[in-house]
Amino acid sequence: QVQLVESGGGSVQAGGSLRLSCAASVNSSRTNSMGWFRLAPGKEREGVAATGIGGGTAAYADSVKGRFTISHDYAKNTGYLQMNSLKPEDTAMYYCALGEYIASWARLRADSYDHWGQGTQVTVSS
């Protein structure tokens, strides 16, 4: 049973930064992809960032390009989402997800992933 545990959420003022972490209970695999998604009240779930653990170009939603950076530490089985220049519209519950053999074009699609964390809340005040 794969478990993903997110941490690092919190409350910040606009313009601030947070770094989310996602620790996996299984060893990293070069065939895996990790994605970060968010869900805000009244909005649809949005794929924020994703990357292949084995490498490749990361994918970002237009709304976060240039502000968020996804990374992964293979040895620690942990993924990260560095969020800078946060805006009130970034307020949401953030989830990490893990999947296998996901094509690069599908990495921001929630239905590409098999395993999900419980989420961590990010609140950005103006």
Side-chain angles (χ1 to χ4, degrees):
Q1 183 78 9
V2 176
Q3 289 186 324
L4 302 175
V5 179
E6 301 100 333
S7 61
S11 296
V12 296
Q13 290 191 327
S17 298
L18 284 173
R19 189 176 82 152
L20 306 183
S21 299
C22 175
S25 63
V26 294
N27 290 333
S28 301
S29 168
R30 303 281 184 195
T31 61
N32 288 153
S33 293
M34 176 169 280
W36 287 93
F37 295 79
R38 65 187 181 186
L39 184 62
K43 295 184 179 180
E44 294 186 355
R45 181 168 48 185
E46 178 185 21
V48 173
T51 187
I53 290 175
T57 303
Y60 296 94
D62 288 342
S63 57
V64 306
K65 279 181 181 177
R67 300 188 298 121
F68 290 12
T69 303
I70 188 173
S71 62
H72 186 271
D73 188 321
Y74 192 86
K76 295 183 178 179
N77 302 322
T78 300
Y80 304 95
L81 184 67
Q82 178 66 44
M83 306 186 296
N84 298 328
S85 302
L86 283 162
K87 304 175 181 180
E89 51 263 44
D90 294 320
T91 295
M93 184 72 80
Y94 283 72
Y95 300 87
C96 68
L98 193 68
E100 195 169 19
Y101 299 116
I102 302 174
S104 57
W105 60 266
R107 285 181 182 151
L108 288 179
R109 292 178 49 139
D111 59 4
S112 297
Y113 294 84
D114 301 312
H115 309 287
W116 292 81
Q118 82 290 349
T120 185
Q121 178 68 37
V122 171
T123 302
V124 185
S125 58
S126 57

